[in-house]
Amino acid sequence: QVQLVESGGGLVQTGGSLRLSCVASGSIFSINAMGWYRQAPGKQRELVAAFTRGGSPNYADSVKGRFTISRDNAKNTVYLQMNSLKPEDTAVYYCNADITPRSSPRGNYWGQGTQVTVSS
């Protein structure tokens, strides 16, 4: 069974930094895409940054220049370095991945979410 586990959230002051990590585990044949979404209270879940297979990363306009997504393919891990954080970045951050397991159909997976709170 495929599982995504996030870590690295927390409370930080405006202008601070945090680094999120997401590890995909289980019987994985290939990871086709992997990235981060967030959902603030009362708002819809939105894309923050993501890799597609073989492609350059995509970023939400609101985080360009402040956030950087990176990955370690050998560890099935994706990271989100968040700098110059603002109160409007406060949200639950979710890892998302499009994965083909070894013995089941390709599917879309979500982590449990990690809270990021930026105080003003």
Side-chain angles (χ1 to χ4, degrees):
Q1 183 177 355
V2 173
Q3 189 175 16
L4 302 180
V5 178
E6 303 115 332
S7 61
L11 173 65
V12 66
Q13 291 185 332
T14 297
S17 298
L18 284 173
R19 189 190 193 212
L20 306 183
S21 301
C22 173
V23 180
S25 62
S27 183
I28 296 171
F29 175 74
S30 66
I31 298 178
N32 308 300
M34 198 167 180
W36 294 93
Y37 287 70
R38 68 185 180 187
Q39 188 167 19
K43 295 187 177 181
Q44 289 189 333
R45 193 171 297 189
E46 62 176 1
L47 172 71
V48 178
F51 284 107
T52 56
R53 187 175 176 86
S56 299
N58 296 319
Y59 292 94
D61 288 343
S62 59
V63 307
K64 285 180 180 177
R66 300 188 298 122
F67 291 10
T68 302
I69 190 171
S70 61
R71 59 187 171 183
D72 185 334
N73 292 333
K75 296 181 179 179
N76 290 339
T77 299
V78 67
Y79 305 96
L80 185 68
Q81 178 66 44
M82 304 185 293
N83 298 329
S84 302
L85 282 160
K86 305 175 181 180
E88 51 263 44
D89 295 317
T90 295
V92 178
Y93 284 68
Y94 295 92
C95 182
N96 174 264
D98 180 341
I99 291 174
T100 303
R102 292 191 182 279
S103 57
S104 57
R106 179 174 175 174
N108 190 260
Y109 297 84
W110 291 93
Q112 79 283 0
T114 185
Q115 177 70 45
V116 171
T117 302
V118 184
S119 63
S120 57

